[in-house]
């Protein structure tokens, strides 16, 4: 008899009450701040062709012959600087956000809605979470990548992981994916409120810098909308806060390798601003839903040191939205808008 490779539940799904699911997906994290734990995480992350668009054979040689021999120890040191007793800040913060969104949607939705969290790289995987939700009776699935701005390197990769999982399911659930929410009014309002509240508590700096994660320039030239969406977010936030283009500026962080990435670069920008006489620089990272290595170590530590070394007095990082009420409210409204027509969310809808 022919064999198959499809995951099925042998009829058990028929016995489960149908429910909807919301799958939050964040980037991922190693299990521990050690080189041994970081290595497989980096191998999965940097081995993704969505992230690194080089010929596979060439990149495999570079990745396994050079990068994975050097970078795990360096990255482990950075992770150790921000690791908490509860674990990875990204993992802990994302879990808190998922729990808060579960509570909020349980109050708003008409029927059973299950919220789960997956990591694109590391655990829990997209595949494992979707299969678990299927076993629980989820027949309608909304995937929400926690990347406000779309890029093939982030949201595109999540879509790949979801598609690869669905290809292995004998009875896939109905599927919807939120492509981006960079211009969503609720999200912009949440960002502005967070910054205004931080200013009310700590005072306002000389300038506000929005630092987005960078990608290679050639990805944008090939059609990736990421740069335009970052610019739109910055424009809308500038309008909402009542700032001009000299008071709120943008930059791009986390570049690796020698090829040109989106500019201006964050590290060069903070050094330049300090040399020009800016004493207090406020930095927010509106591309990150939850605080992580790139915000807590790269911005609040590394770039803060760059700024003071160049003559500035203080680089002050404004935390991500994390599991605050503003983000929970904006994401729940986003979910409800994208789930229209599903009976679990709206009592007057017909299954």
């Amino acid at each position: 008899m022919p064999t198959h490779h499809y995951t099925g539940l042998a009829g058990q799904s028929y016995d489960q009450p149908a429910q909807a699911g919301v799958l939050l997906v964040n980037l991922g994290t190693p299990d521990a701040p050690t080189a041994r734990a970081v290595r497989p995480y980096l191998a999965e992350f940097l081995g993704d062709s969505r992230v690194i668009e080089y010929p596979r054979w060439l990149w495999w040689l570079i990745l396994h012959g050079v990068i994975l021999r050097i970078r795990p120890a360096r990255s482990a040191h950075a992770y150790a600087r921000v690791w908490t007793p509860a674990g990875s800040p990204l993992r802990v913060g994302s879990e808190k956000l998922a729990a808060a969104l579960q509570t909020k949607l349980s109050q708003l939705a008409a029927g059973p809605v299950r919220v789960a969290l997956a990591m694109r790289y590391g655990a829990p995987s997209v595949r494992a979470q979707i299969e678990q939700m299927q076993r629980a009776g989820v027949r309608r699935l909304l995937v929400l990548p926690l990347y406000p701005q779309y890029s093939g390197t982030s949201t595109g990769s999540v879509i790949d992981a979801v598609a690869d999982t669905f290809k292995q399911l004998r009875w896939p659930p109905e599927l919807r994916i939120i492509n981006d929410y960079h211009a969503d009014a609720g999200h912009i309002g949440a960002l502005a409120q967070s910054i205004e509240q931080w200013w009310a508590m700590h005072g306002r700096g000389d300038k506000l810098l929005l630092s987005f994660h960078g990608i290679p320039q050639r990805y944008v030239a090939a059609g990736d909308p990421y740069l335009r969406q970052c610019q739109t977010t910055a424009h809308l936030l500038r309008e909402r806060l009542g700032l001009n283009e000299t008071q709120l500026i943008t930059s791009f962080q986390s570049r690796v390798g020698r090829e040109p990435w989106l500019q201006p670069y964050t590290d060069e920008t903070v050094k330049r601003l300090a040399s020009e006489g800016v004493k207090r620089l406020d930095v927010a990272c509106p591309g990150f839903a939850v605080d992580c290595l790139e915000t807590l170590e790269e911005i609040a530590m590394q770039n803060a040191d760059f700024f003071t070394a160049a003559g500035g007095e203080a680089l002050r990082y404004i935390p991500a939205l994390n599991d605050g009420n503003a983000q929970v409210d904006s994401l729940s409204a986003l979910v409800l808008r994208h789930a229209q027509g599903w009976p679990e969310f709206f009592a007057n809808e017909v299954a």
Side-chain angles (χ1 to χ4, degrees):
M1 295 180 63
T3 59
H4 63 77
H5 302 282
Y6 299 106
T7 300
L9 301 178
Q12 296 177 28
S13 287
Y14 294 100
D15 301 327
Q16 295 275 3
Q19 58 181 303
V22 177
L23 182 64
L24 303 183
V25 186
N26 212 333
L27 180 71
T29 176
D31 294 330
T34 64
R36 184 175 182 178
V38 169
R39 186 172 290 107
Y41 168 74
L42 285 180
E44 184 182 8
F45 173 41
L46 297 177
D48 187 346
S49 60
R50 282 281 195 175
V51 176
I52 306 294
E53 293 186 26
Y54 284 164
R56 289 294 90 192
W57 67 270
L58 175 60
W59 181 242
W60 191 95
L61 292 175
I62 297 172
L63 178 60
H64 292 273
V66 180
I67 295 176
L68 292 180
R69 297 176 183 269
I70 299 172
R71 189 166 174 180
R74 187 183 308 162
S75 295
H77 173 73
Y79 276 109
R81 299 182 74 189
V82 300
W83 212 260
T84 73
S88 159
L90 181 140
R91 175 74 177 267
V92 173
S94 298
E95 288 174 345
K96 289 181 177 179
L97 176 58
L101 190 61
Q102 175 71 79
T103 299
K104 186 69 175 182
L105 290 177
S106 296
Q107 298 168 352
L108 297 175
V113 176
R114 177 183 295 264
V115 177
L117 170 70
M119 298 296 176
R120 177 59 187 91
Y121 312 103
S125 69
V126 170
R127 179 183 298 276
Q129 291 297 73
I130 290 178
E131 290 179 350
Q132 182 176 344
M133 295 175 87
Q134 185 191 41
R135 286 193 294 272
V138 168
R139 297 302 319 138
R140 282 168 280 273
L141 178 64
L142 176 64
V143 178
L144 172 52
L146 291 172
Y147 308 116
Q149 298 79 24
Y150 176 93
S151 172
T153 62
S154 53
T155 305
S157 183
V158 171
I159 294 172
D160 285 352
V162 172
D164 288 343
T165 299
F166 268 53
K167 287 189 294 186
Q168 299 300 317
L169 298 181
R170 183 168 294 279
W171 188 30
E174 182 178 346
L175 175 66
R176 296 180 187 177
I177 300 176
I178 296 179
N179 205 258
D180 66 80
Y181 53 100
H182 73 283
D184 176 72
H187 177 64
I188 297 300
L191 289 171
Q193 178 184 334
S194 172
I195 293 169
E196 289 169 338
Q197 289 178 344
W198 196 90
W199 281 342
M201 293 179 61
H202 304 282
R204 183 168 147 183
D206 300 325
K207 289 184 183 293
L208 172 63
L209 174 65
L210 301 184
S211 180
F212 295 90
H213 199 290
I215 63 173
Q217 289 182 6
R218 62 187 172 93
Y219 293 7
V220 173
D224 196 302
Y226 181 71
L227 174 59
R228 180 62 61 86
Q229 293 194 1
C230 290
Q231 292 170 336
T232 298
T233 298
H235 171 74
L236 293 173
L237 194 52
R238 188 180 287 116
E239 285 189 337
R240 174 64 172 74
L241 292 171
L243 302 178
N244 61 40
E245 293 186 356
T246 63
Q247 295 170 315
L248 186 156
I249 58 180
T250 62
S251 62
F252 297 89
Q253 65 183 83
S254 308
R255 74 185 186 278
V256 295
R258 297 180 179 179
E259 71 172 305
W261 280 41
L262 296 181
Q263 298 182 35
Y265 300 134
T266 294
D267 55 354
E268 295 180 357
T269 299
V270 301
K271 294 173 186 176
R272 175 181 60 80
L273 291 173
S275 69
E276 292 174 352
V278 173
K279 296 303 181 183
R280 295 196 305 171
L281 177 63
D282 298 335
V283 182
C285 298
F288 298 90
V290 174
D291 277 318
C292 55
L293 183 72
E294 287 80 3
T295 63
L296 300 175
E297 198 274 340
E298 184 178 354
I299 296 299
M301 295 181 183
Q302 280 190 40
N303 279 275
D305 290 343
F306 294 155
F307 185 69
T308 55
E313 292 181 359
L315 183 154
R316 309 182 310 169
Y317 171 63
I318 301 174
L321 295 176
N322 295 310
D323 63 330
N325 290 337
Q327 171 142 266
V328 174
D329 289 345
S330 66
L331 291 185
S332 62
L334 185 70
V335 166
L336 291 175
R337 189 161 69 250
H338 283 266
Q340 291 185 36
W342 284 357
E344 292 83 4
F345 288 91
F346 302 97
N348 63 336
E349 302 288 353
V350 179

